[in-house]
Amino acid sequence: MYVCNCFGVTEAQVKKHAEDGACTPRQIASACKAGTDCGSCVRRIQALLGRGACPRRELADQGEPVLTELDEAA
């Protein structure tokens, strides 16, 4: 099922990015552009992420880097 029609991003893709460390809609947007055009999918992305859905949420809450692989590639 599509979450972001503007960029063709699916629910599965958002969940995969969350598993890889994207804990916020902004981090999802950085990973796949979802939510950066019309913005109508941002609430759906927030719902998919949920409060406890991010496996690296604890690190983010402590101010630790959660996207180190992406940071090193940049």
Side-chain angles (χ1 to χ4, degrees):
M1 174 180 198
Y2 285 103
V3 173
C4 176
N5 290 322
C6 297
F7 292 104
V9 179
T10 65
E11 187 173 312
Q13 288 172 301
V14 170
K15 289 180 180 179
K16 174 69 173 120
H17 290 303
E19 289 171 9
D20 291 342
C23 297
T24 66
R26 181 172 285 174
Q27 290 173 337
I28 293 292
S30 292
C32 63
K33 294 187 179 181
T36 62
D37 195 24
C38 77
S40 67
C41 61
V42 173
R43 286 189 183 201
R44 178 73 178 133
I45 292 168
Q46 288 172 326
L48 286 171
L49 293 174
R51 176 63 181 144
C54 180
R56 300 182 190 180
R57 168 71 63 187
E58 190 174 313
L59 289 175
D61 288 345
Q62 295 172 2
E64 298 291 329
V66 293
L67 298 174
T68 55
E69 304 91 33
L70 296 177
D71 294 338
E72 291 171 4

